[in-house]
Structures are given as C-alpha cells and as structure tokens.
Amino acid sequence: MSAAKKPPKGDGLLPKELVESWSKIGYGLGALGVAAFAAGMLGADQARFGAAYLVGFMFTTTIAVGALFFVVIQHLTKAGWSVAPRRIMEWLSQGLIASAVLFVPLVVMAPKIWHHWMGEHAAHDQVLVQKQGYLNQPFFYARAIVFLVVWALLATWFYKLSREQDSTGDRKLSDKLQVAAAPSIAALGLTISFAGFDWVMSLDPHWYSTIFGVYIFAGCLLSSHAMLALCIVRLRKDNIGGNLLTVEHQHDVGKFLFGFVVFWAYIGFSQFMLIFYANIPEETVWYLHRWNHGWHVVSMGLFLLHFIAPFLMLLSRTAKRDPRLLAAGAGLLLFMHWVDLYWLVMPNFDEHFHFQWVDIAGLLAPVGVTAAWLSKRVLADPVYPLKDPYIPEALKAENL
Amino acid sequence: MADAHDTHESEVVLPEPDKGELWGMMGLFDTPADLYHAAEELRDAGYKGLDAMTPFPVHGLERALGLKPTPLPFLVLGGGAAGLASGIALTWYVNYDYALNISGKVPFSWHIYIPVYFELTVLLSALTCFFATWALCKLPTFFHPTMRHKSFPRTTDDGFFLTVDATDPKYDSASTRKLLEKLGAKEVEEVHS
C-alpha cells in the first residue's frame, strides 16, 4: 500500500573509491597468498602444508559452490526478492574459476596429501584393494576434472547470461536460466557430494559415512550465506543498491544464515549420533581421532561456536536487522567454517592438535588468489542485475 | 449488562446498540488504500487505540495503525527454554533413578538424548505459540461490540473498517467522528457493549 518504489538510479556500479580500496585489498591478499604459497612449498614440512592448503582450497571452493547453488536455486524457484543478493552471489561464484586453477598445486602435492591410499602400502591393504575400483588415481583425477569444469562452466554461464540481461533486459534470458536451473541443481548436488568424498573423506580411506557429502554441502551453504551477509552489510553501509538492498533483504539473508546454522548442526549431529550409538569400531575411530590428544578442544569448539553461539546470536529478529550483530554472527561462522574444514582434514595428518604457522599459509594462498581474481573479474560490474524482470518484486520485499 | 430486550428476543435483532457502555467508534471504507491512509492520519494525529477489520490481509497495515510488536517471540523463547530444561531434567532423572547399561554407554551420556532435548524444545515452543496466540487474541470471543454495526458482515466481503477505542485519551465523540468523515469514512457510528 505504500507509495510505488523505484529501483535505484544510475548505472548500479560500485563507487570508485570502494572499487579502489577493494582492489587494493584483493591484490594485496593475492600477493600475500603467493608469498605464503612459496614459503609453504619451500618450508620444511611439505605434507603439513599440503594438508593446510587442502583446507584453504576447500574453504574458498565451498564458499563459491554455495554461492553458485544460491544463484541456481533463485532461478529454479523464480524468486523475486533476491535480485540484488543474487548478483553478489554470482560474484562469489566466480571464485570457482580460480578454484579450477588452484587445484593444480593439489595435484602436485597429491602423493603427500592422499598418501593413505595413493602410497605404496595401499597395495597390501585388503580394504583398499577392494576399494580400488573407485579409489584409483586416474579415476580420481578424471572426477576432479569433471567437478571443476562443471562448476567453472556453470558459474561462467549463469553470470554471462545475467550480465547480458543487464544491457538487453531480455525476458527470455530469465526463462533460459530457469530451464537450465533444474539439471544444474542436480549436477551441483552430485558434484559437491562426490568432491567431499574424494578430497576430504578419502584422507581416511578405511572410514566411510554416506552423509559426508551432505555435511560438506551444508558447509557450502552456510559459508556462502555468511559471506553474502558480510557483503550486504558493507554495501548497505554506503547505501549501495538502494531499494533493492534494504534491511528487508538483509533480514531475509539473515534468516537463511540462521536456518543453515541449524541445518549444519542437524547434519553433523545425524552423522555423529548414528556412529556414537551403534558403536562399531571401524566407524567410531574417526571420532576418536577427533577427541584424543587435544582434538576434543576443537570438537567441542565446533559444537559451541559453530552452532550454539551463532544460534543464539542470530535467533532474534533484531539481530538479523542490525548490521553489526549480523556481521558479527556471519564473521564468526566464516571463521568457524575454516575450523570445521581444519577439523575434518588435520587429524588425519597429526594425532595431536598442534596449530602451526603453515596452517595459516595454507589458508592464505587460495584465499589470496581467489580474492585477487575476484577483484579483477567482478568489481567493475553493476552490483545488481540492472534489467532483471523480477526487480518490481524485489522492491516489494518486506518482513511482517 | 442486563438488557430489557434479552427477555423477549427475536431471531436476528441484537439488543439496541446504545444501551451498554460505550466501546468506541467505527468507520467504513471501500478500499484498502483509503483505510490505510486514514489509519496513518489517525496514527499521526496521536490516536493509540486503533484497529482495523478487513476481508483479507493488508500489507503494512500494522505500521499504519501504529500497533506495538507482539510479545509472542519472547513467550515462545520461554516455552522453548522450558522444553529444553524439562528434557535435560527428564533424561538426567531417569538415568539417576534407574541407571541402565545400554550398549556400554556411561550413565547420562547426554549426546544420545539430544533428540529428546530437541523434540521437547520444539514441542513446548509450538504449544506455547499456539496457546499464546489464542490468549493474545483473546480467543475464543463469541461477541464483540463491533458486531453491532449494521455493516459489520461486510468485513468478510468488501468492507474495510477502522475502529477507534473509546479508552483512547484522544477519543472524543464529536472530533473523532469529524476526522473519520473527513478522511472518507462512511457509516461512522459509535458502538456500545
């Protein structure tokens, strides 16, 4: 009933100063990342750097996959409210192109990272011999290529058509994206699940959990929404995005973020409870490695800071609408997402929980390269889809 | 509220409207937009006891009426906390009172009771939400003074009513009526309980 709202005036581009400062941060992180990578590769403990790099690679890749998932699902459901947040997620999904390149060091370090099943001793391990049909190197790399190519192509294509619509405003482009969204969502669901099995679960090749892929997927959604919430808070601070990026849209993203906090905990607990309750040694050993020798601090930290604290922080309506509270919750979740991946990977390399500087180097390298790539790729583009046919719907979004 | 008519009631005619205590004033609007703007005007004029009756939800009307946010979320939070506490108390008590060794777990291994905590939290939240909604809406209410307005049935069809509570400090029979009529209200009437 309120007066008709209009989309923001102008070309939708980020202000020059912001582009400059963000580029500086992006390229700065890039330089830092390359330096960290060199230091890690030349460092004493290359196996440790390989593991840390895998954690960092999974960190940037899961955020980008989650972002791509968001983009696809908005098209699939013909969502109206999400026009401006969708563009930010399209930006984040471009990180998948960097991920395809960032996988190369993993290939180089593979014998050190996945040595549990790639090493010599695997030939004498009865369990691994039986798993060879799936867990062998040619098939492993072929799958990795499929995952990375599918992601990079989908991210590029969904963004390309969205950018095309910025100039033409062609309704047919939306239809095309909506039709493509259904098979894309299936492809994404399968690829991220199997990527989780291949890259993370196979670090402990005797152990298996059918829900593991969903757990990685939950991390994708949570981390990408945390990143989106941070971006929205920052853009709204300078009132960029106008009527398309109001407190109502921020509130909606906050609700998703809160929901995925619960989803992550639900999946994590589902995996834990079945294993804990059934008490079968070949399954419980995975949690035992994450409980003994100091790892219980990280395990309990995950429970308290990845679930309880953000749950209570983001529960109220006030928190989702307050930029500072939402950013605090999102920042905490982003950090805890890294801890979560660290907790999945590191106990396979070190029975004792020892934090080392190479762990940070392994994070900085992929984050820096992805940040620099995103600075180059997206910052000059409009911050919302300029002529999306759903803009009138997005303008009307409100939370009662 | 003894009413002379109660003794010899006819089938549809309610008791005379001017016999009970004054409840407030009602004005009828034809469109949701008229209602919305009138509500804004009255809210800005300082009226606190506003309410509206519409055949369908009108977006943003609660802001135009200046309604306070509902305390429901806090009640539900309290219900959920009580559910969680009762879940912990229940599982702790049965373990303490009659400890059973099940698949080698130590007594009161709280991990396996998380589904119990979750279910009781959800159950008490949902029940609190349901019953608190009834209580806050004063349900069930079988009669309300606004029903005396002869066009009241139109609120389920094509009528949009704005009501002003007589307990509102700004309420004044003459000036409130004048303001409502100026804003386009029809059939402005005072209703009594």
Side-chain angles (χ1 to χ4, degrees):
Chain A
M1 282 302 108
S2 44
K5 292 172 184 167
K6 285 183 184 141
K9 281 178 194 153
D11 48 13
L13 297 178
L14 288 172
K16 273 221 173 69
E17 316 83 66
L18 205 62
V19 174
E20 266 169 34
S21 71
W22 282 14
S23 302
K24 257 184 213 158
I25 296 171
Y27 292 125
L29 275 172
L32 209 61
V34 171
F37 181 74
M41 289 299 274
L42 298 170
D45 194 349
Q46 292 191 4
R48 178 72 176 207
F49 178 69
Y53 182 87
L54 177 64
V55 175
F57 171 82
M58 287 304 290
F59 182 76
T60 57
T61 306
T62 47
I63 292 172
V65 169
L68 181 57
F69 202 87
F70 178 93
V71 173
V72 174
I73 214 153
Q74 302 311 316
H75 288 300
L76 186 68
T77 55
K78 301 188 184 180
W81 70 275
S82 59
V83 166
R86 202 191 74 217
R87 174 52 56 86
I88 300 168
M89 285 301 226
E90 283 168 352
W91 286 3
L92 291 175
S93 74
Q94 299 308 298
L96 286 169
I97 299 157
S99 288
V101 178
L102 287 168
F103 193 77
V104 174
L106 282 177
V107 176
V108 175
M109 294 186 282
K112 291 204 178 75
I113 298 171
W114 292 287
H115 68 88
H116 303 86
W117 62 270
M118 283 185 181
E120 294 288 319
H121 57 90
H124 312 291
D125 187 320
Q126 191 53 40
V127 177
L128 294 185
V129 169
Q130 284 181 353
K131 288 190 178 184
Q132 245 174 20
Y134 182 84
L135 222 48
N136 61 69
Q137 293 201 38
F139 193 24
F140 174 82
Y141 291 124
R143 286 195 304 268
I145 290 170
V146 170
F147 304 151
L148 293 165
V149 167
V150 165
W151 295 341
L153 283 182
L154 283 178
T156 310
W157 189 75
F158 271 86
Y159 189 45
K160 189 179 151 244
L161 263 64
S162 180
R163 285 285 289 127
E164 218 173 295
Q165 199 173 44
D166 281 354
S167 49
T168 63
D170 190 357
R171 159 83 232 192
K172 280 191 189 119
L173 289 169
S174 289
D175 297 339
K176 219 166 147 183
L177 288 165
Q178 282 160 9
V179 170
S184 303
I185 214 116
L188 277 176
L190 286 171
T191 47
I192 189 60
S193 282
F194 280 93
F197 293 146
D198 280 10
W199 301 341
V200 184
M201 199 171 88
S202 81
L203 291 170
D204 189 348
H206 281 203
W207 185 78
Y208 57 90
S209 164
T210 44
I211 208 173
F212 195 85
V214 187
Y215 185 76
I216 294 288
F217 171 69
C220 291
L221 288 173
L222 189 55
S223 56
S224 58
H225 280 81
M227 199 66 204
L228 175 62
L230 288 177
C231 292
I232 288 180
V233 167
R234 180 62 191 83
L235 290 175
R236 273 178 39 74
K237 196 179 144 208
D238 288 358
N239 197 23
I240 300 164
N243 281 339
L244 279 169
L245 210 53
T246 64
V247 70
E248 304 296 337
H249 302 89
Q250 176 191 322
H251 187 176
D252 281 334
V253 170
K255 282 189 269 187
F256 267 125
L257 186 63
F258 174 76
F260 289 131
V261 168
V262 181
F263 180 64
W264 174 88
Y266 177 75
I267 300 300
F269 181 70
S270 299
Q271 176 175 281
F272 171 78
M273 195 191 71
L274 285 189
I275 291 174
F276 178 82
Y277 205 73
N279 212 5
I280 299 169
E282 63 173 355
E283 291 176 353
T284 51
V285 67
W286 194 81
Y287 281 106
L288 202 65
H289 285 154
R290 283 156 185 77
W291 195 257
N292 289 340
H293 307 303
W295 279 107
H296 69 280
V297 177
V298 186
S299 296
M300 283 315 281
L302 275 181
F303 174 63
L304 294 174
L305 295 176
H306 203 312
F307 175 57
I308 300 287
F311 179 88
L312 295 175
M313 276 171 88
L314 297 172
L315 181 61
S316 90
R317 177 188 171 92
T318 318
K320 292 171 199 120
R321 293 174 87 87
D322 182 297
R324 258 177 256 159
L325 286 174
L326 182 67
L332 172 68
L333 281 167
L334 214 52
F335 172 70
M336 288 314 292
H337 179 56
W338 177 69
V339 175
D340 184 24
L341 292 165
Y342 187 88
W343 175 83
L344 291 175
V345 170
M346 278 306 167
N348 297 307
F349 295 88
D350 192 351
E351 281 198 342
H352 299 262
F353 171 50
H354 287 139
F355 184 76
Q356 296 180 17
W357 74 267
V358 283
D359 298 346
I360 294 292
L363 174 69
L364 268 180
V367 166
V369 171
T370 307
W373 158 248
L374 287 182
S375 307
K376 180 182 169 337
R377 167 94 171 164
V378 302
L379 287 184
D381 295 347
V383 77
Y384 67 93
L386 298 173
K387 293 181 182 170
D388 193 285
Y390 292 92
I391 282 178
E393 256 184 73
L395 291 170
K396 278 194 291 189
E398 69 177 317
N399 292 283
L400 296 178
Chain B
M1 232 165 326
D3 204 317
H5 291 266
D6 282 354
T7 47
H8 45 93
E9 58 186 35
S10 59
E11 273 177 28
V12 283
V13 178
L14 286 161
E16 283 295 319
D18 55 352
K19 289 294 160 69
E21 196 186 331
L22 176 67
W23 180 83
M25 192 174 287
M26 301 173 70
L28 177 67
F29 295 86
D30 287 332
T31 70
D34 293 344
L35 172 73
Y36 187 95
H37 295 308
E40 280 182 328
E41 292 286 335
L42 260 71
R43 177 197 66 195
D44 294 344
Y47 284 92
K48 305 274 181 228
L50 299 177
D51 205 350
M53 274 160 269
T54 60
F56 49 80
V58 177
H59 277 252
L61 194 56
E62 73 283 349
R63 274 195 294 279
L65 290 166
L67 297 182
K68 275 180 290 187
T70 167
L72 192 61
F74 297 98
L75 297 173
V76 174
L77 182 66
L84 177 64
S86 66
I88 294 172
L90 171 72
T91 52
W92 175 80
Y93 177 71
V94 294
N95 269 269
Y96 161 82
D97 192 50
Y98 200 95
L100 285 173
N101 186 339
I102 294 166
S103 66
K105 303 284 186 287
V106 295
F108 191 56
S109 17
W110 58 275
H111 317 76
I112 46 173
Y113 299 130
I114 286 178
V116 178
Y117 305 157
F118 172 76
E119 293 297 343
L120 275 167
T121 307
V122 171
L123 178 71
L124 261 72
S125 301
L127 288 179
T128 310
C129 192
F130 182 74
F131 288 111
T133 304
W134 281 64
L136 290 171
C137 296
K138 300 194 178 88
L139 292 173
T141 298
F142 298 109
F143 173 77
H144 194 267
T146 49
M147 295 178 186
R148 291 193 198 275
H149 195 288
K150 67 179 182 308
S151 293
F152 179 81
R154 284 182 61 194
T155 54
T156 60
D157 181 13
D158 64 346
F160 299 84
F161 273 105
L162 187 61
T163 70
V164 188
D165 206 304
T167 55
D168 190 324
K170 281 217 60 163
Y171 188 89
D172 174 80
S173 288
S175 68
T176 306
R177 171 184 293 273
K178 212 172 149 195
L179 182 55
L180 273 171
E181 281 173 347
K182 196 185 104 195
L183 292 166
K186 293 170 200 158
E187 303 183 35
V188 179
E189 280 178 27
E190 280 191 320
V191 287
H192 298 72
S193 51

